[in-house]
Amino acid sequence: MAETGEKQARGGSRADVAPSTAAAYLDPHYWDERFASEEHYEWFKDYSHFQHILRPFLNPSHSVLEIGCGNSRLCEELRRDGVADITCIDISQVAVERTRSRLLDMGLEGIKVVQADMLDLPFDSESFDVVIEKGTMDVLFVDSGDPWRPRPATVNKVMKMLEGVHKVLKPEGIFISISFGQPHFRRPLFESPGFTWSMEWNTFGEGFHYFFYILKKGKRISESDYSNEYKNGSWSVPSFNLLHEELEDEDYIFRTTICDELET
């Protein structure tokens, strides 16, 4: 199994590309500079780690949107799994151009790569069967403050992203969100009024758990149906090992969300 995250990113070391502060992740110029020197980096593990969870939701006839592709290889892996209609977006024009070039060199045609902001998706309503984001939404939380009461500006951005995703999903489409964020923090956002999707979640990882959220549009169920997940006044959430070897060197997002949460 390939080492995920590439502790030494091809084209530059972690020290060369990692920002000095977590807030830099919100700056589009940071990403342009990073992708100009970094060839490949997988946030939150590569496809091989969660393929068994995602594959049941994929169909060769599906249209798939990947939000925040960066320099990930996810789109190639989805193509190998038989998905033909794939669109990738990233806010960085550098990432877009380099991804297009890489796919061309590989002879992979038909994967559309578009410069776009996840807060302003440039697609018609009901355009995609599946929308996938892997660590992209977590970037919005790097300056959220108290995880139990995130700053209004953070909530507004997250809601704007989710509203866009909900809009571009087909009536029975599925949103896949791969995240560090625990269910008791994500649930209030995912289940805001106006969203018709249901929420399920799984985990992957050895020792440390990454969360794999599955939101099925048009399938929202009542709060009572979550009773098996809620026991003794709290949600059933796996424990965390903060020093587990799986964690990559560059985990500002983790430190500013999970660690702050545990200290609260």
Side-chain angles (χ1 to χ4, degrees), residues 27-43:
D27 182 0
H29 298 293
Y30 162 73
W31 293 108
D32 280 340
E33 293 177 0
R34 174 169 180 159
F35 293 135
S37 63
E38 181 185 64
E39 181 182 338
H40 177 213
Y41 188 79
E42 293 289 347
W43 294 91

Side-chain angles (χ1 to χ4, degrees), residues 15-241:
D16 292 335
V17 297
S20 58
T21 66
Y25 287 122
L26 296 170
D27 182 0
H29 298 293
Y30 162 73
W31 293 108
D32 280 340
E33 293 177 0
R34 174 169 180 159
F35 293 135
S37 63
E38 181 185 64
E39 181 182 338
H40 177 213
Y41 188 79
E42 293 289 347
W43 294 91
F44 300 3
K45 299 298 179 182
D46 65 29
Y47 186 56
S48 66
H49 291 78
F50 55 85
Q51 180 182 30
H52 62 291
I53 309 176
L54 179 57
R55 184 178 279 170
F57 301 105
L58 299 177
N59 185 296
S61 65
H62 281 163
S63 56
V64 175
L65 172 65
E66 179 190 359
I67 296 178
C69 62
N71 51 25
S72 169
R73 302 295 190 258
L74 179 59
C75 63
E76 292 103 305
E77 298 293 346
L78 294 176
R79 172 57 60 83
R80 293 189 186 98
D81 256 358
V83 181
D85 186 355
I86 303 172
T87 301
C88 306
I89 70 165
D90 200 278
I91 197 170
S92 168
Q93 184 63 37
V94 175
V96 168
E97 291 174 355
R98 296 195 68 174
T99 298
R100 287 173 178 168
S101 178
R102 184 183 78 242
L103 295 174
L104 181 62
D105 290 344
M106 297 175 64
L108 288 178
E109 300 179 353
I111 299 177
K112 298 177 286 292
V113 188
V114 179
Q115 182 184 23
D117 188 337
M118 62 180 168
L119 304 185
D120 187 19
L121 298 178
F123 307 107
D124 294 335
S125 298
E126 302 180 359
S127 297
F128 299 96
D129 295 287
V130 179
V131 176
I132 301 173
E133 70 88 14
K134 182 162 72 85
T136 307
M137 186 171 71
D138 284 45
V139 170
L140 299 176
F141 289 93
V142 297
D143 64 347
S144 63
D146 182 350
W148 294 100
R149 293 175 294 277
R151 294 188 178 99
T154 298
V155 174
N156 290 340
K157 289 180 181 178
V158 173
M159 292 305 300
K160 192 170 184 179
M161 175 192 174
L162 294 177
E163 287 164 1
V165 171
H166 193 273
K167 174 185 174 182
V168 303
L169 276 176
K170 293 181 180 180
E172 295 185 357
I174 295 175
F175 175 38
I176 302 295
S177 176
I178 299 173
S179 173
F180 278 136
Q182 297 183 53
H184 49 279
F185 292 125
R186 291 295 182 262
R187 187 182 294 279
L189 299 166
F190 288 151
E191 296 185 346
S192 295
F195 297 146
T196 67
W197 48 38
S198 62
M199 174 183 152
E200 304 170 33
W201 57 276
N202 211 321
T203 61
F204 63 93
E206 300 173 1
F208 178 83
H209 290 85
Y210 298 84
F211 293 93
F212 188 103
Y213 294 99
I214 305 144
L215 296 106
K216 299 178 181 179
K217 190 173 180 179
K219 303 294 184 180
R220 187 159 185 168
I221 55 181
S222 66
E223 291 294 327
S224 62
D225 292 313
Y226 297 119
S227 58
N228 290 332
E229 297 181 32
Y230 190 78
K231 296 179 181 180
N232 300 320
S234 63
W235 297 105
S236 176
V237 178
S239 60
F240 292 92
N241 182 347

